[in-house]
Amino acid sequence: MSSYRPDIIEPKWQKRWEEDKAYLADRGKNLPKLYVLDMFPYPSGDGLHVGHSRIYTASDLVTRAKILQGYRVLHPTGWDAFGLPAENYAIKTGIHPSVATAKNIANAKRQMQLQGFMYDWSREINTTDPNYYHWTQWIFLQLFKHNLAYEADVPINWCPSCKTGLANEEVIGGRCDRCGSKVEKKQLSQWMLKITAYADRLLGGLANLDWPVSIKKMQENWIGKSNGANVRFMVVGRSEEIVVFTTRPDTLFGATYLVLAPEHPLVDLLTTKDHLTEMLVYRKSVANKTDSERIEGAGNKEKTGIFTGSFAVNPVNGEHLPIWVADYVLSNYGTGAIMAVPAHDQRDLEFAKKFKLPVTKVIFSSTPITTEAYLEDGLLINSGRFNGLTVAEAKKAIVEDLETRGLAEPQTVYRLRDWVFSRQRYWGEPIPLIHCPKCGIVPVPDNELPLVLPEVEKYQPTGTGQSPLAAIAKWVNTSCPKCGGRAKRETNTMPQWAGSSWYFLRFTDPHNNRALADQPSLDAWMPVDLYLGGAEHAVLHLLYARFWQMFLYDIGVVKQEEPFKQLKSVGLILTNTYRDQDGHYIHYDDLVLDGDTVFDKRNGHVLTAEVEKMSKSKGNSISPDSIITRYGSDTLRVYLMFLGPWHEMSVFDLNGIEGSFRFLKKVYFLADKVSQDCQSSDDRLLNQTIDKVTKDIDLFQFNTAVSQLMILVNAWQKETAVSADRFSVFLQLLFPFAPHLAEELWQKIGHNESIFASKWPEAKIGFADDTRAEIAVQVDSKLRGKISVSQEMTAEQITELVLSDEKIGRFVTSRQPKAIYVKGHLINLLNR
């Protein structure tokens, strides 16, 4: 047989699948449905990197396997092309966003097709297409009509570099999640979506979702439900009262001071003349701090604050408590005021110690309060007639007592804030509202949708708090749909998250001009059965999409409250990066691998790898194009699935790619041993492989599925011939991982139709029985890990399994290590 040529094989089969329309979701309408979706990409100027490929390969793999298993599978994709990423790229290059976006989409689509991903391209969508954002605007108008979209003058997160407002979810560690600039606070009129109205449902719905626990926990924490009470503290000598939300009414007798947020409306009234100057200076110093900075600062030992000069009455014992102002209290959580109980809150204790405020213990503990607050449960002390009660008993009893006197009532609050929805940028969906001096804010009529984004020459952000659209008088000036008088269009645009909050619905019926999707199409495919993406979207896209889905459910557009039944989150990819003598990153194309040594092909220097997070900004992200040119897309696919557990962090390494390429070459040449006349021998290993690969695909344990395929190939290499029926079964199992090579060899051994026309193999009862054990793996007598092996495997087979393991195999430097195997317990490989 000639050499393995993926550069010839792969284009051939990609063309064949396209001609056969193998990608279409509508075939086999009486089959059970499976909606497989990965988070559609932003079409950036840098194109896709191998991190994208790892997600898309997994969804493609599942799609191929499930088609053979008898499902009709919807597996679409499209482009999330509005928003900051696309616009910032356009500003950087000087190319209009529409031109740059079209170019970037064409490149990303080429990269996807190069990898043979099985998307139904007849359903391709683009969030910047007016036929698409017609319905994004329509959904917004429904939110507006149901009083869930409103305009408010609020302090928002402002990115001085992107020159736009940001939602809380878009601020990471006090910095813009897009450009990394330090975020400021700015008072602006903004369009808000009342996501808080759905807080309880968003929280409660998590229990029924088959999602990673970590993602559900992130959403749970972001929503941040707290049950407690609002307690009234009367200001001494005045008629005002301070309402404090607390989850710990049991500690009211331990409150020794109150703290107001700097923005609290009572600060001006309660600050006495002798404290006024320092209060003004303090409030100015914290005005531009973001909420996240203030929350993070609360964990620091150095506390800041200013005494107002006023006091409040503790409602449980009548004591006068000094009223302070400090930036660790947020105006938008609870009531913007707290009661401080330094004996039982670490933050309050540190503040009290700095400013020499009293510390009163009200929950019994055997140790005094010095540097650490007592945070455990116990019995109340120093609490009058409530002494001796447990914390739970006291919470209830104290609130009930205060409630009878009109000084408290039970209350639930949330950390979740309403969604800051408008952006002061050009590249986004126009908000379809009109400002009329007579009628107020009026929706654009449905029959005038879509409100198309006008073409402009100048699209750079103004930084003034207004969108570039505000300068287009011809577009802004319009007539009121109600009274016909002069009016002006809303000039802010929607955020990049708008189009992605419902796109999964549009895929079911992408060409509908009368509705976002018709009911039969929604019934046929929704909800999404399997959704794949990154954990970084936990409190952005995933939360917003759930909110919109619940709203559309409430108004009768969809029949499910939740859009995604099962979610799988991919692990972060690190990469072995290499630098030249000047510290500059060396591009992948300039690296040469010789054995285990990596050289710079430009000068022959031996290089040492550094493991780092793959990042476009660092210039160390790896394009799939480079790998495919050198090895083919099947090699990249197999390597990405073999890299390690799919949901865990993994390291992308040149040596591993070479290993996957060698495996596929073994498969290619193994076809020379296939004989139509050869009788099948013991099928136990083949049936074990069928069983394991089938189960591993369902469990997303792709790395162990590949490992099992390798074991089978290595065993068959020792045979003089392999029967055609056995090899055919193997190719069906290989097909999801390396589809081009599998199709090529399927045809070579005599099949006329595509593998798509075949049925997934089933393990024969009894033959797949496999008592497995987890054994320790030592290399030169040092423990390096554990692997799962069959009791029937020989030391030689286990050695091959170890060598193919990315994490353990790297410790074996000998090409033929000596193996000492204690069956069912351990294997020790000795480098010779």
Side-chain angles (χ1 to χ4, degrees):
M1 187 185 253
S2 60
S3 62
Y4 173 41
R5 292 288 304 276
D7 58 319
I8 295 174
I9 293 171
E10 292 177 359
K12 166 188 170 182
W13 285 102
Q14 288 164 15
K15 182 180 179 183
R16 168 77 178 273
W17 296 328
E18 181 67 30
E19 290 172 348
D20 291 349
K21 300 188 183 302
Y23 305 109
L24 294 182
D26 293 327
R27 63 182 194 175
K29 291 188 176 181
N30 293 324
L31 300 174
K33 75 96 175 177
L34 187 73
Y35 187 173
V36 178
L37 185 64
D38 29 48
M39 297 177 188
F40 65 164
Y42 304 119
S44 75
D46 297 312
L48 304 177
H49 55 71
V50 294
H52 294 106
S53 297
R54 197 176 192 207
I55 298 172
Y56 305 156
T57 299
S59 66
D60 184 79
L61 185 160
V62 171
T63 295
R64 292 176 183 274
K66 292 302 176 182
I67 287 175
L68 267 61
Q69 290 172 20
Y71 287 84
R72 57 183 177 93
V73 183
L74 174 58
H75 185 219
T77 195
W79 314 102
D80 191 10
F82 264 142
L84 290 178
E87 187 172 341
N88 285 347
Y89 174 79
I91 292 170
K92 178 181 175 182
T93 60
I95 304 171
H96 193 279
S98 62
V99 176
T101 297
K103 179 182 176 182
N104 295 343
I105 286 174
N107 180 52
K109 186 172 182 178
R110 175 194 61 81
Q111 289 181 296
M112 288 178 165
Q113 291 174 327
L114 196 62
Q115 295 171 76
F117 294 143
M118 216 182 124
Y119 293 117
D120 184 344
W121 291 109
S122 71
R123 296 173 182 262
E124 179 183 3
I125 62 174
N126 179 341
T127 58
T128 69
D129 179 353
N131 291 322
Y132 179 85
Y133 68 72
H134 174 154
W135 301 105
T136 309
Q137 292 174 333
W138 181 85
I139 295 171
F140 174 84
L141 288 181
Q142 306 317 303
L143 287 160
F144 177 76
K145 292 170 184 176
H146 285 79
N147 299 316
L148 292 171
Y150 63 96
E151 194 174 27
D153 193 41
V154 294
I156 65 162
N157 303 304
W158 178 265
C159 176
S161 177
C162 295
K163 297 180 182 178
T164 190
L166 303 172
N168 289 337
E169 294 86 349
E170 295 173 296
V171 179
I172 309 297
R175 295 186 177 274
C176 172
D177 76 332
R178 281 296 158 201
C179 71
S181 297
K182 194 175 188 311
V183 171
E184 303 169 351
K185 278 290 183 183
K186 194 166 187 173
Q187 195 82 12
L188 279 179
S189 179
Q190 294 287 290
W191 280 98
M192 314 285 289
L193 295 189
K194 201 177 290 185
I195 191 173
T196 52
Y198 283 76
D200 258 336
R201 286 169 64 184
L202 289 167
L203 192 61
L206 291 171
N208 300 318
L209 297 178
D210 184 6
W211 286 20
V213 173
S214 60
I215 299 293
K216 293 202 282 188
K217 193 67 178 176
M218 288 169 73
Q219 286 208 3
E220 181 182 320
N221 291 340
W222 190 260
I223 295 167
K225 183 176 182 178
S226 298
N227 293 313
N230 278 345
V231 180
R232 292 176 174 81
F233 293 75
M234 301 305 298
V235 178
V236 175
R238 299 181 65 98
S239 61
E240 289 83 12
E241 65 179 19
I242 296 172
V243 179
V244 169
F245 171 77
T246 178
T247 59
R248 296 295 307 274
D250 55 298
T251 62
L252 263 164
F253 284 87
T256 59
Y257 61 99
L258 300 186
V259 185
L260 307 182
E263 305 84 1
H264 196 287
L266 289 179
V267 171
D268 288 334
L269 286 172
L270 301 184
T271 303
T272 57
K273 289 183 180 180
D274 51 333
H275 294 281
L276 189 58
T277 300
E278 58 181 342
M279 183 65 74
L280 290 172
V281 172
Y282 182 73
R283 293 177 81 181
K284 187 176 180 180
S285 72
V286 302
N288 286 328
K289 286 186 179 181
T290 64
D291 289 354
S292 58
E293 286 179 302
R294 287 164 60 171
I295 292 169
E296 288 163 11
N300 299 333
K301 294 295 180 185
E302 189 63 30
K303 296 292 183 292
T304 64
I306 300 292
F307 177 45
T308 64
S310 296
F311 294 82
V313 179
N314 189 329
V316 293
N317 57 16
E319 291 185 1
H320 289 192
L321 308 180
I323 304 169
W324 287 71
V325 170
D327 65 354
Y328 73 82
V329 179
L330 302 179
S331 61
N332 57 9
Y333 181 78
T335 63
I338 68 162
M339 64 176 207
V341 185
H344 305 292
D345 183 285
Q346 190 63 33
R347 178 189 57 182
D348 295 345
L349 179 62
E350 290 162 4
F351 190 96
K353 283 189 165 295
K354 177 174 179 178
F355 295 105
K356 297 182 173 55
L357 297 166
V359 178
T360 302
K361 186 195 293 187
V362 292
I363 298 174
F364 176 78
S365 68
S366 58
T367 55
I369 305 296
T370 53
T371 59
E372 299 292 328
Y374 182 72
L375 307 178
E376 305 300 320
D377 282 350
L379 301 179
L380 263 64
I381 59 173
N382 300 321
S383 299
R385 63 188 180 87
F386 301 101
N387 283 343
L389 296 182
T390 65
V391 166
E393 290 168 341
K395 283 182 179 181
K396 182 180 179 183
I398 291 174
V399 171
E400 286 178 349
D401 178 66
L402 291 175
E403 198 172 5
T404 62
R405 294 187 279 141
L407 294 173
E409 62 273 335
Q411 184 69 28
T412 298
V413 301
Y414 299 88
R415 180 176 180 267
L416 181 68
R417 306 267 70 84
D418 280 344
W419 178 4
V420 179
F421 192 72
S422 48
R423 298 291 180 271
Q424 296 70 47
R425 298 292 291 249
Y426 166 70
W427 194 237
E429 301 92 339
I431 294 177
L433 294 172
I434 293 170
H435 297 266
C436 174
K438 180 180 178 182
C439 305
I441 300 172
V442 182
V444 170
D446 285 357
N447 62 4
E448 293 182 18
L449 297 179
L451 174 60
V452 177
L453 184 68
E455 292 187 12
V456 298
E457 292 183 7
K458 294 183 179 180
Y459 46 81
Q460 289 75 10
T462 63
T464 63
Q466 285 194 315
S467 157
L469 294 178
I472 309 171
K474 185 178 179 180
W475 186 81
V476 172
N477 294 319
T478 186
S479 58
C480 174
K482 274 190 176 180
C483 69
R486 292 182 179 181
K488 293 184 180 294
R489 295 191 187 281
E490 171 63 46
T491 57
N492 282 334
T493 53
M494 298 187 195
Q496 66 200 60
W497 309 105
S500 62
S501 292
W502 72 280
Y503 78 111
F504 42 88
L505 300 172
R506 188 63 172 176
F507 279 133
T508 68
D509 191 14
H511 309 297
N512 194 325
N513 294 321
R514 300 177 308 280
L516 60 82
D518 67 27
Q519 198 59 57
S521 298
L522 291 169
D523 292 344
W525 293 111
M526 285 299 292
V528 176
D529 296 289
L530 178 61
Y531 198 37
L532 285 68
E536 67 272 17
H537 297 296
V539 294
L540 287 161
H541 160 62
L542 288 170
L543 190 63
Y544 297 156
R546 295 182 63 222
F547 165 42
W548 278 34
Q549 177 81 7
M550 287 180 180
F551 168 69
L552 292 173
Y553 171 81
D554 287 348
I555 64 172
V557 175
V558 299
K559 294 182 178 179
Q560 301 86 17
E561 279 196 274
E562 294 285 352
F564 316 119
K565 284 176 65 176
Q566 185 180 39
L567 174 71
K568 296 288 186 181
S569 293
V570 69
L572 185 70
I573 289 191
L574 305 180
T575 179
N576 280 337
T577 57
Y578 302 87
R579 303 174 191 257
D580 60 22
Q581 292 175 319
D582 298 322
H584 299 132
Y585 287 102
I586 301 173
H587 192 270
Y588 177 82
D589 289 337
D590 291 324
L591 301 175
V592 175
L593 181 67
D594 183 5
D596 294 331
T597 305
V598 178
F599 295 89
D600 184 339
K601 77 176 182 182
R602 300 170 298 177
N603 52 34
H605 291 162
V606 176
L607 302 171
T608 303
E610 301 174 24
V611 178
E612 296 181 343
K613 179 182 176 181
M614 195 177 292
S615 165
K616 290 179 182 177
S617 61
K618 289 183 178 180
N620 67 350
S621 62
I622 299 173
S623 166
D625 298 32
S626 301
I627 311 293
I628 293 168
T629 299
R630 198 182 296 192
Y631 298 104
S633 70
D634 279 346
T635 294
L636 176 61
R637 292 169 63 106
V638 168
Y639 175 63
L640 289 172
M641 296 300 96
F642 187 54
L643 194 56
W646 189 81
H647 61 282
E648 293 181 8
M649 184 183 296
S650 301
V651 179
F652 194 93
D653 180 54
L654 275 173
N655 288 289
I657 299 171
E658 286 283 350
S660 295
F661 186 57
R662 288 193 298 270
F663 165 64
L664 292 184
K665 284 199 291 187
K666 282 183 185 179
V667 173
Y668 183 77
F669 290 112
L670 186 62
D672 288 339
K673 289 187 175 184
V674 172
S675 170
Q676 300 291 343
D677 301 324
C678 175
Q679 295 296 313
S680 296
S681 58
D682 181 10
D683 281 336
R684 182 171 295 277
L685 181 57
L686 176 59
N687 275 274
Q688 289 170 354
T689 303
I690 295 169
D691 185 62
K692 182 160 181 58
V693 171
T694 303
K695 291 175 179 176
D696 283 352
I697 288 174
D698 286 341
L699 295 171
F700 268 55
Q701 295 174 355
F702 305 124
N703 58 319
T704 56
V706 173
S707 178
Q708 185 66 29
L709 292 171
M710 290 176 171
I711 291 170
L712 183 62
V713 168
N714 289 337
W716 281 356
Q717 278 193 307
K718 299 177 179 64
E719 298 184 14
T720 56
V722 178
S723 67
D725 59 335
R726 294 165 74 205
F727 196 65
S728 294
V729 169
F730 166 77
L731 292 177
Q732 290 171 305
L733 300 175
L734 180 68
F735 177 62
F737 299 89
H740 308 87
L741 178 58
E743 286 274 36
E744 180 72 9
L745 299 181
W746 181 264
Q747 184 183 68
K748 176 182 170 12
I749 64 173
H751 295 282
N752 295 322
E753 293 183 310
S754 165
I755 292 181
F756 277 119
S758 69
K759 184 180 178 182
W760 188 261
E762 294 182 6
K764 296 176 183 177
I765 297 174
F767 277 99
D769 291 344
D770 179 19
T771 304
R772 303 185 70 82
E774 189 175 64
I775 66 168
V777 180
Q778 296 179 342
V779 179
D780 293 330
S781 301
K782 291 183 179 179
L783 182 65
R784 296 299 187 183
K786 294 182 178 181
I787 58 172
S788 177
V789 301
S790 165
Q791 295 283 16
E792 297 179 352
M793 290 176 69
T794 65
E796 185 179 6
Q797 289 173 325
I798 296 173
T799 300
E800 291 173 349
L801 187 60
V802 171
L803 293 175
S804 65
D805 187 284
E806 286 285 318
K807 293 182 179 178
I808 306 175
R810 61 193 176 93
F811 295 105
V812 183
T813 57
S814 174
R815 293 190 182 277
Q816 291 184 317
K818 180 180 178 181
I820 301 173
Y821 179 41
V822 180
K823 189 170 183 178
H825 295 283
L826 70 85
I827 188 166
N828 186 12
L829 301 183
L830 304 175
N831 290 307
R832 305 192 192 195

